Amino acid sequence: DAGVTQSPTHLIKTRGQHVTLRCSPISGHKSVSWYQQVLGQGPQFIFQYYEKEERGRGNFPDRFSARQFPNYSSELNVNALLLGDSALYLCASSWGTGLGYFGPGTRLTVT
Amino acid sequence: DAKTTQPPSMDCAEGRAANLPCNHSTISGNEYVYWYRQIHSQGPQYIIHGLKNNETNEMASLIITEDRKSSTLILPHATLRDTAVYYCIALYSGGGADGLTFGKGTHLIIQP
C-alpha cells in the first residue's frame, strides 16, 4: 500500500503570496493532521481533520486554513506568506484521531 | 498530554545497543508512550508505542518503568542509518493530535 503522499515536494514563494499544500492519506485512514517544522525544532501541530471535520487547531494565525475532502485527502492553505512561514510542512494520516504515519513533507521557502 | 523530557544528544558505537531515555513523570493512566524518529529533512517515522507492558517489534524495544514515569527505547544493534532525531511523545488513547508537542527530541549519532 502507498504511504502518505504530499505535493509538491519543494516550493518557493514570495512574501505576501498564497500557497496550497496537498496531502493524500494512507488508504482507509480518515484523519489527516498538519504540522509545521522550522529548522532545529520539532514538528508543531497546526490542524487535525477527521471525517472531514476540524478536530483540532494549533496556535497558528488565521492565515492558515485547511480542509478535508470526501476522499479524505486534505489541503493546507497559507495566505499572506511571511518569511517566518519558511518550514517543512508535514502531513500525517491515521485511522482514528491519534498519532499516525507521516508523509515526506513539503519544503516551503518564502523569499 | 503529558510533557516529556529527553537528553538533547547521545552517541553510540555502531553495532552496540542504543538506549534512549525519556522522562514522562506526569503521564496519566491512559496516556500511551509513542516513539518516532526523523532522519534529516524527512517525515517522522513511527517506531513503537506502549501503555504499560514492554513492547518489541522489528525496529526496537520499548521498556516502560512500573510507575510509568519514564521509558527507554532500545535499538539492539545500532547502524549508521539509525542516526536521527528521536522523539518521545505521550498521548491519550483515542486522543486527538491537537495540543501535541514533539519537543526537540534526542539527536542520536551512531559512530563508526
Side-chain angles (χ1 to χ4, degrees), chain A residues 73-91:
Chain A
S73 67
S74 177
E75 285 183 353
L76 175 70
N77 296 284
V78 187
N79 292 324
L81 286 166
L82 303 174
L83 295 179
D85 295 330
S86 294
L88 179 67
Y89 287 85
L90 296 160
C91 169

Side-chain angles (χ1 to χ4, degrees), chain A residues 33-35 45-49 54-59 97-99, chain B residues 1 90-92 94-101:
Chain A
S33 302
W34 288 95
Y35 298 80
F45 172 78
I46 309 176
F47 285 109
Q48 182 178 40
Y49 277 77
E54 183 182 301
R55 292 293 298 266
R57 174 185 286 255
N59 187 24
T97 56
L99 281 176
Chain B
D1 298 322
L91 184 67
Y92 284 107
D98 56 322
L100 183 67
T101 55

Side-chain angles (χ1 to χ4, degrees), chain A residues 4-82:
Chain A
V4 178
T5 59
Q6 293 186 243
S7 63
T9 55
H10 295 86
L11 200 54
I12 299 175
K13 289 287 190 177
T14 304
R15 278 178 297 175
Q17 286 188 317
H18 162 272
V19 69
T20 297
L21 310 180
R22 295 177 176 83
C23 172
S24 292
I26 293 171
S27 177
H29 284 190
K30 300 181 178 181
S31 174
V32 169
S33 302
W34 288 95
Y35 298 80
Q36 180 196 66
Q37 186 175 25
V38 298
L39 200 62
Q41 303 292 323
Q44 297 298 308
F45 172 78
I46 309 176
F47 285 109
Q48 182 178 40
Y49 277 77
Y50 177 71
E51 288 279 20
K52 302 180 285 295
E53 292 189 1
E54 183 182 301
R55 292 293 298 266
R57 174 185 286 255
N59 187 24
F60 282 81
D62 291 344
R63 298 185 296 108
F64 289 76
S65 64
R67 57 179 175 169
Q68 187 177 32
F69 298 100
N71 66 354
Y72 302 110
S73 67
S74 177
E75 285 183 353
L76 175 70
N77 296 284
V78 187
N79 292 324
L81 286 166
L82 303 174

Side-chain angles (χ1 to χ4, degrees), chain B residues 71-91:
Chain B
S71 60
T72 301
L73 178 74
I74 302 172
L75 307 178
H77 304 287
T79 71
L80 298 178
R81 289 179 296 178
D82 292 322
T83 292
V85 177
Y86 287 76
Y87 296 101
C88 170
I89 301 152
L91 184 67

